Amino acid sequence: FRGGGKAWLNVRVYTPEELVGSHVPLPVLLYFHGGGFVIGNLNTVEGWLTHVCHWSKCVVISVDYRLAPENPHPAAIEDAVSCFQWVVDHAEERGWDSSKIAVGGDSAGGSIAAVLAQQALARKFQVKPCFQLLLFPSTYLGPRRPGFKSIEEFGKEDYYTMPFKSMIYFRNAYLGPDKDGLDVTVSPLVAEDHVLRDLPPAYFGLCHFDVLRDEGREYARRLKESGVSVCLEEWRAHHGIIYLYRKVGYAKESLKGVASHLRRHMYPAKL
């Protein structure tokens, strides 16, 4: 279908095998892959999203949004908005429950999902996301904050999978070097309290050894203090641990926990 820039936008839809042809509308997770707004595609998350689909019993729709630097901000956000509206518009014909559309993503995709939830309020969507699934999300692209110690702890060396120098490259490719990064459509963390209090419940899966850990913690704290129901899990692992679900038992168990939490929220009366 046509995305935010009127170019064709690809999605990949996963449906739980045992629920194909079900006469009951199924809940949906609209998912945005990670990659610093610059890299990644539908295949990047293909493997473990099939597991999330199976374990959660939700339809999972993976979005191939436009990437920077060829398509800088706000291209990814406009694609996310268009995709959400597409899901709502086609829910009935495809057997999806439009009252149960969650938004989620990892890393940069987590930022897109968080911004989308806020934009649903700002743009007065008739149907809004019912849940946020935010996995080690980027929530702040503004000037350095002394309180975010995880950048100093885990951003100096390549050992921790995402050094700070990589974050700077991704940020500049997405925003350009002259932007301050304080717009809410790139830094959902800076949204005002009256916006946060109307957001849907959120699950945070953070990584302890991660430059993004503290901004994730801070966004979770602000949501909780605004009255939003928040569940936060912090894995003793580096950024992107769930991508290792095939080789690392801890990663697979963490991914199962994500899917279980999603299932409990989307099927509260059946568990």
Side-chain angles (χ1 to χ4, degrees), residues 57-263:
K57 306 308 176 191
C58 293
V59 172
V60 177
I61 302 175
S62 182
V63 183
D64 197 21
Y65 57 90
R66 288 173 293 162
L67 299 175
E70 294 81 3
N71 299 284
H73 175 268
I77 303 304
E78 294 305 321
D79 286 349
V81 168
S82 296
C83 194
F84 186 85
Q85 295 291 14
W86 177 83
V87 172
V88 172
D89 292 343
H90 292 82
E92 184 175 359
E93 68 186 71
R94 292 176 178 264
W96 304 332
D97 187 344
S98 62
S99 69
K100 291 186 177 180
I101 304 174
V103 294
D106 61 279
S107 196
S111 175
I112 294 170
V115 169
L116 176 55
Q118 293 185 9
Q119 287 296 295
L121 298 173
R123 303 189 190 199
K124 296 181 169 57
F125 289 3
Q126 286 190 324
V127 176
K128 299 177 179 62
C130 71
F131 186 65
Q132 303 175 82
L133 189 78
L134 307 178
L135 307 180
F136 34 95
S138 166
T139 66
Y140 180 74
L141 293 180
R144 293 277 289 273
R145 285 191 177 187
F148 292 170
K149 302 296 185 184
S150 57
I151 292 177
E152 300 297 330
E153 291 181 81
F154 309 118
K156 293 180 179 179
E157 300 179 8
D158 294 344
Y159 177 80
Y160 291 108
T161 75
M162 194 173 73
F164 189 64
K165 62 184 179 183
S166 295
M167 289 183 62
I168 295 297
Y169 169 77
F170 290 143
R171 181 197 183 282
N172 289 343
Y174 184 52
L175 292 183
D178 299 326
K179 301 287 182 63
D180 64 13
L182 293 176
D183 189 289
V184 292
T185 60
V186 296
S187 294
L189 175 62
V190 304
E192 296 183 6
D193 291 341
H194 71 86
V195 174
L196 298 184
R197 66 170 176 253
D198 291 328
L199 290 172
Y203 170 89
F204 285 79
L206 306 183
C207 300
H208 182 78
F209 306 105
D210 182 5
V211 289
L212 299 181
R213 181 197 67 194
D214 289 351
E215 61 191 72
R217 284 178 178 175
E218 179 65 8
Y219 191 46
R221 181 193 67 79
R222 288 203 61 211
L223 287 178
K224 192 170 184 178
E225 289 187 354
S226 296
V228 176
S229 175
V230 171
C231 175
L232 186 151
E233 292 186 315
E234 189 169 305
W235 304 310
R236 300 289 294 180
H238 59 68
H239 184 83
I241 180 62
I242 57 176
Y243 282 86
L244 301 179
Y245 73 98
R246 290 182 181 220
K247 296 184 177 180
V248 179
Y250 183 66
K252 187 173 184 178
E253 289 306 309
S254 299
L255 185 59
K256 279 186 176 179
V258 171
S260 296
H261 193 90
L262 176 63
R263 181 172 177 173

Side-chain angles (χ1 to χ4, degrees), residues 1 10-16 20 26-30 42 46 49-50 53 58-63 83 86-87 94 96:
F1 65 94
N10 294 318
V11 297
R12 190 170 291 169
V13 180
Y14 307 89
T15 303
V20 172
L26 300 177
V28 174
L29 170 64
L30 184 62
L42 298 178
E46 162 88 18
L49 282 185
T50 62
C53 172
C58 293
V59 172
V60 177
I61 302 175
S62 182
V63 183
C83 194
W86 177 83
V87 172
R94 292 176 178 264
W96 304 332

